[in-house]
């Protein structure tokens, strides 16, 4: 396994991290989830990402059980706060001081740990003053409940404002967690340059575009039975944007590039993400241990310039690059 610094901080993370967004507590049975975490550990993954909202807190509980007994100092555990949890009442979501300070305690209890290495604002909260949010995060750090703080899917200007407050409060804001893959590159124009300037690293999710970059979805063909695209609980809504024959045909045309590099299409996709020097880690998920084994083979792979150019040529105008696509909903938009 390759290890990288998380942004400009001294924290080392595995270049491939394991996340349980669509799996633990929902899509797969607990025994399978535990087996996937065990495989991740066996493959050298030390960085694990979750969130309180995943499976309405159940994912944190499963991850805590899976990591129980491991040497805590040898792990980097990340979680997040923003989305509704529990009954979803008026203060069960957002980035208010009340919700942050209550949520971190719930997350620590479920994860079975005294602290998380990284505590992340899962979206930007338009309805809470940023000063209130950052002070609450600073208090979480000073209480020893989190070592570093980060954000997820924040725009460049939001990251810059948070970084200024973090400097004033003397707390380490070190990361952003965006969606990023060959097909979805909206962070490249603004978020990445801003993050590089401010010392934040990207911990990216969906490096294989929810499975669209694996090549298993064929243009003009029926969706494979049991695949994510057919599972309403397992991310069908997220992947449907890529279930376009033009996109799927271009993904099939990536196969010779992968073959030349000695990689599967999924490995090529993960390796491509890791070529970006601002990416600290790429999050993979799995419903079977063998998927973990296959994806970690992308760690340490260097794609040459010809391969990167060929990928761009094949994908062409199906790539989404508009930085305005990075946006956080208002809480009133979630609840009406």
């Amino acid at each position: 396994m390759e290890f990288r610094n998380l942004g400009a901080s001294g924290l080392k993370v595995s270049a491939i991290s394991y996340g349980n967004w669509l799996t633990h507590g929902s899509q797969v049975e607990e025994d399978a989830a535990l087996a996937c975490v065990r495989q991740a550990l066996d493959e050298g993954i030390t960085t694990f990402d979750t969130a309180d909202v995943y499976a309405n807190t159940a994912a944190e509980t499963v991850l805590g059980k899976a990591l129980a007994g491991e040497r805590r100092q040898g792990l980097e555990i990340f979680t997040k706060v923003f989305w509704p949890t529990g009954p979803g009442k008026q203060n069960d979501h957002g980035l208010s001081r009340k919700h942050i300070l209550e949520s971190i305690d719930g997350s620590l209890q479920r994860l079975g740990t005294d602290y998380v290495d990284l505590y992340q604002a899962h979206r930007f909260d338009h309805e809470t003053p940023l000063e209130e949010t950052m002070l609450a995060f600073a208090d979480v750090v000073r209480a020893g409940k989190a070592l570093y703080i980060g954000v997820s899917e924040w725009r460049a200007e939001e990251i810059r404002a948070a970084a200024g407050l973090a400097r004033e409060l003397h707390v380490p804001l070190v990361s952003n967690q965006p969606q990023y893959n060959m097909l979805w590159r909206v962070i490249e124009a603004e978020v990445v340059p801003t993050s590089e300037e401010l010392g934040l690293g990207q911990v990216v999710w969906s490096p294989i575009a929810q499975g669209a970059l694996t090549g298993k979805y064929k243009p003009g063909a029926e969706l494979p039975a049991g695949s994510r695209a057919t599972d309403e609980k397992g991310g069908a809504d997220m992947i449907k944007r890529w279930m376009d024959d033009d996109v799927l045909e271009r993904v099939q045309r990536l196969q010779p590039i992968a073959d030349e590099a000695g990689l599967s299409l999924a490995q090529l996709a993960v390796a491509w993400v890791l070529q970006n020097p601002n990416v600290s880690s790429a999050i993979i998920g799995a419903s079977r241990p063998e998927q973990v084994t296959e994806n970690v083979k992308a760690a340490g792979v260097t794609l040459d310039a010809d391969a990167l150019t060929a990928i761009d040529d094949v994908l062409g105008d199906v790539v989404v690059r508009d930085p305005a696509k990075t946006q956080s909903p208002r809480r009133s938009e979630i609840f009406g």
Side-chain angles (χ1 to χ4, degrees):
M1 179 55 62
E2 176 192 2
F3 292 88
R4 299 180 174 190
N5 285 73
L6 183 53
S9 79
L11 180 66
K12 299 283 188 179
V13 295
S14 49
I16 295 178
S17 45
Y18 183 86
N20 66 354
W21 166 37
L22 290 173
T23 50
H24 297 188
S26 55
Q27 188 181 9
V28 303
E29 297 297 325
E30 185 169 310
D31 286 349
L34 297 177
C36 288
V37 173
R38 171 49 52 194
Q39 193 63 38
L41 291 164
D42 289 346
E43 297 291 347
I45 291 175
T46 61
T47 305
F48 294 86
D49 179 81
T50 188
D52 57 4
V53 71
Y54 296 166
N56 197 17
T57 73
E60 286 184 326
T61 300
V62 174
L63 183 61
K65 183 179 294 187
L67 296 176
E70 295 296 317
R71 179 176 174 269
R72 180 63 183 89
Q73 294 87 341
L75 303 173
E76 304 85 45
I77 300 175
F78 302 171
T79 194
K80 313 180 197 73
V81 57
F82 173 83
W83 293 103
T85 54
K89 298 296 184 180
Q90 68 275 10
N91 287 308
D92 290 340
H93 47 79
L95 297 178
S96 68
R97 178 177 182 83
K98 176 177 173 63
H99 186 53
I100 289 172
L101 296 183
E102 291 174 348
S103 294
I104 185 62
D105 288 340
S107 290
L108 294 179
Q109 182 177 20
R110 290 185 290 270
L111 288 164
T113 182
D114 294 331
Y115 69 95
V116 291
D117 297 272
L118 181 69
Y119 198 39
Q120 302 162 94
H122 210 160
R123 291 296 186 274
F124 185 83
D125 188 349
H126 300 277
E127 299 175 26
T128 298
L130 185 57
E131 292 83 357
E132 176 182 340
T133 293
M134 295 304 294
L135 180 58
F137 275 118
D139 287 344
V140 168
V141 171
R142 293 194 177 102
K145 296 177 181 181
L147 304 185
Y148 301 85
I149 57 175
V151 301
S152 177
E153 293 291 357
W154 284 30
R155 299 170 70 106
E157 60 268 28
E158 295 162 351
I159 291 172
R160 185 175 297 281
L165 289 169
R167 284 193 298 271
E168 292 177 15
L169 293 165
H170 302 289
V171 291
L173 175 65
V174 299
S175 65
N176 176 50
Q177 186 173 127
Q179 180 178 186
Y180 184 53
N181 55 60
M182 291 179 185
L183 297 169
W184 188 263
R185 308 188 193 180
V186 303
I187 64 170
E188 290 182 341
E190 298 177 3
V191 168
V192 166
T194 299
S195 297
E196 288 176 332
E197 174 192 342
L198 298 173
L200 278 70
Q202 309 301 316
V203 179
V204 306
W205 59 274
S206 195
I208 59 174
Q210 293 93 49
L213 289 169
T214 65
K216 66 182 176 183
Y217 300 104
K218 305 295 194 294
E222 291 289 324
L223 298 174
S227 66
R228 178 167 293 176
T230 65
D231 186 352
E232 294 302 322
K233 294 192 303 179
D237 187 61
M238 288 291 295
I239 196 176
K240 68 182 180 182
R241 77 178 75 173
W242 308 124
M243 296 296 102
D244 174 88
D245 281 351
D246 185 22
V247 174
L248 298 179
E249 187 273 331
R250 290 175 191 244
V251 171
Q252 295 299 315
R253 285 164 51 196
L254 294 173
Q255 188 65 61
I257 304 171
D259 292 341
E260 180 68 22
L263 303 170
S264 68
L265 280 175
Q267 291 162 357
L268 180 72
V270 177
W272 181 89
V273 163
L274 292 173
Q275 305 309 294
N276 188 318
N278 191 231
V279 170
S280 298
S281 188
I283 303 170
I284 63 167
S287 55
R288 303 186 309 277
E290 54 267 29
Q291 293 173 324
V292 178
T293 299
E294 282 304 301
N295 286 333
V296 297
K297 294 176 182 176
V301 170
T302 299
L303 300 175
D304 62 32
D306 289 343
L308 295 173
T309 299
I311 289 168
D312 288 346
D313 290 344
V314 166
L315 295 179
D317 60 5
V318 302
V319 174
V320 180
R321 301 179 184 273
D322 182 4
K325 296 287 185 180
T326 297
Q327 54 187 318
S328 297
R330 293 182 179 274
R331 283 189 270 164
S332 57
E333 294 171 344
I334 302 171
F335 299 100

